[in-house]
């Protein structure tokens, strides 16, 4: 009532827990492609603090940090995952998870992985069927796109060895199973044929296959020369 303030005795106390760095699990990597890979990890402990961010950091060098390439997964408290989509082909990367709370950022155990390399396609040899004096059927398969995307495929043939794209070329699209029937061949002539396929790395050819057309049937009046507009038969 006299506007005087009275105090009790001083006492000392300590808080029971100090906020420490959180703990992040090791990262596992799957779904590895040419330019992408998927990362998985989890928060093992929050350090008695509040998780403000977690995710993955990766680099060409060991021990990446959040100052390198980073994918944030937000305020997760258990498992988290993310896919990196800006990777380079045929390159080794180092990646580890990170978790951040009031005490700072902690990192999980580092792992490394390599993205896939694109190679030219692999093809089966050409099988030649139903040969007549003027026609033949070609069959082949694209055995593997070798991590690339097929943009064109078909057959090339010539009366000379090792035909290429500048010889008779017949595109059949991008299907792995290829077949075509070629007309306007010359009777009693030996031809050489190869399958081809194109992807991001370039063009590749199958082994060469040869065949000989039949002799012209007796009594036929079919010219041995000719021009096939579709197949551009003036080429050798």
């Amino acid at each position: 009532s006299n506007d005087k303030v009275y105090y009790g005795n001083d006492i000392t106390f300590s808080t029971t827990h100090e906020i420490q760095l959180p703990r992040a699990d090791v990262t596992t990597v799957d779904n590895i492609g040419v330019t992408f890979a998927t990362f998985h990890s989890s928060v093992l402990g929050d350090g008695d603090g509040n998780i403000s961010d977690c995710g993955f950091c990766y680099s060409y060098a060991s021990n990446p940090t959040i100052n390198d390439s980073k994918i944030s997964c937000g305020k997760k408290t258990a498992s988290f995952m993310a896919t990196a989509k800006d990777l380079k082909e045929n390159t080794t990367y180092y990646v580890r998870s990170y978790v951040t709370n009031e005490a700072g950022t902690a990192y999980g155990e580092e792992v490394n992985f390599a993205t896939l390399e694109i190679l030219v396609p692999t093809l089966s040899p050409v099988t030649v069927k139903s040969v007549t004096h003027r026609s033949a059927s070609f069959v082949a398969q694209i055995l593997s796109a070798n991590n690339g995307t097929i943009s064109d495929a078909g057959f090339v043939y010539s009366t000379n060895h090792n035909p290429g794209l500048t010889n008779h070329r017949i595109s059949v699209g991008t299907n792995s199973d290829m077949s075509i029937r070629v007309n306007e061949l010359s009777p009693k002539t030996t031809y050489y044929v190869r399958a081809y396929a194109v992807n991001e790395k370039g063009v590749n050819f199958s082994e060469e296959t040869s065949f000989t057309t039949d002799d012209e049937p007796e009594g036929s009046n079919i010219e041995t020369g000719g021009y096939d507009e579709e197949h551009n038969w003036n080429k050798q």
Side-chain angles (χ1 to χ4, degrees):
S1 61
N2 295 326
D3 292 327
K4 291 185 178 181
V5 178
Y6 299 90
Y7 296 94
N9 295 330
D10 290 339
I11 62 171
T12 301
F13 69 94
S14 298
T15 53
T16 56
H17 294 287
E18 178 184 359
I19 296 177
Q20 300 183 5
L21 286 174
R23 292 188 299 127
D25 201 358
V26 64
T27 299
T28 59
V29 184
D30 61 15
N31 190 34
I32 300 173
V34 175
T35 60
F36 58 86
T38 300
F39 309 142
H40 305 262
S41 190
S42 60
V43 177
L44 296 180
D46 59 13
D48 288 330
N50 297 310
I51 302 298
S52 59
D53 189 26
C54 67
F56 303 93
C57 50
Y58 55 96
S59 173
Y60 305 125
S62 185
N63 297 319
T65 71
I66 56 176
N67 295 319
D68 296 303
S69 297
K70 183 184 78 169
I71 305 176
S72 173
C73 297
K75 301 177 181 180
K76 305 292 185 181
T77 58
S79 61
F80 53 94
M81 63 172 288
T83 298
K85 300 179 180 179
D86 59 348
L87 308 181
K88 293 184 178 181
E89 172 194 351
N90 192 29
T91 302
T92 297
Y93 286 90
Y94 298 85
V95 58
R96 55 182 181 172
S97 57
Y98 73 88
V99 182
T100 301
N101 68 2
E102 296 92 330
T105 299
Y107 298 94
E109 183 180 345
E110 172 189 277
V111 296
N112 65 75
F113 67 96
T115 52
L116 301 181
E117 179 181 9
I118 300 176
L119 302 174
V120 292
T122 304
L123 302 104
S124 72
V126 178
T127 300
V128 181
K129 299 180 178 181
S130 304
V131 178
T132 71
H133 67 293
R134 298 287 283 173
S135 63
S137 294
F138 303 153
V139 178
Q141 292 80 39
I142 300 174
L143 301 179
S144 176
N146 287 329
N147 303 318
T149 301
I150 301 297
S151 58
D152 186 30
F155 301 92
V156 291
Y157 61 98
S158 174
T159 54
N160 298 319
H161 282 286
N162 298 318
L165 298 182
T166 58
N167 298 115
H168 301 292
R169 174 180 175 181
I170 309 174
S171 174
V172 297
T174 59
N175 291 330
S176 58
D177 292 323
M178 304 184 295
S179 64
I180 194 72
R181 185 157 186 82
V182 179
N183 299 304
E184 298 299 330
L185 302 179
S186 297
K188 205 173 182 180
T189 302
T190 298
Y191 290 92
Y192 303 90
V193 58
R194 298 195 290 179
Y196 77 89
V198 182
N199 69 3
E200 297 91 329
K201 275 299 173 77
V203 60
N204 195 27
F205 297 92
S206 69
E207 296 178 8
E208 179 182 88
T209 300
S210 65
F211 68 97
T212 301
T213 52
D214 296 340
D215 197 0
E216 185 174 341
E218 185 177 352
S220 66
N221 190 28
I222 301 176
E223 296 180 2
T224 58
Y227 176 78
D228 182 344
E229 183 176 353
E230 179 182 0
H231 297 162
N232 199 13
W233 180 230
N234 277 341
K235 298 180 180 179
Q236 290 297 319

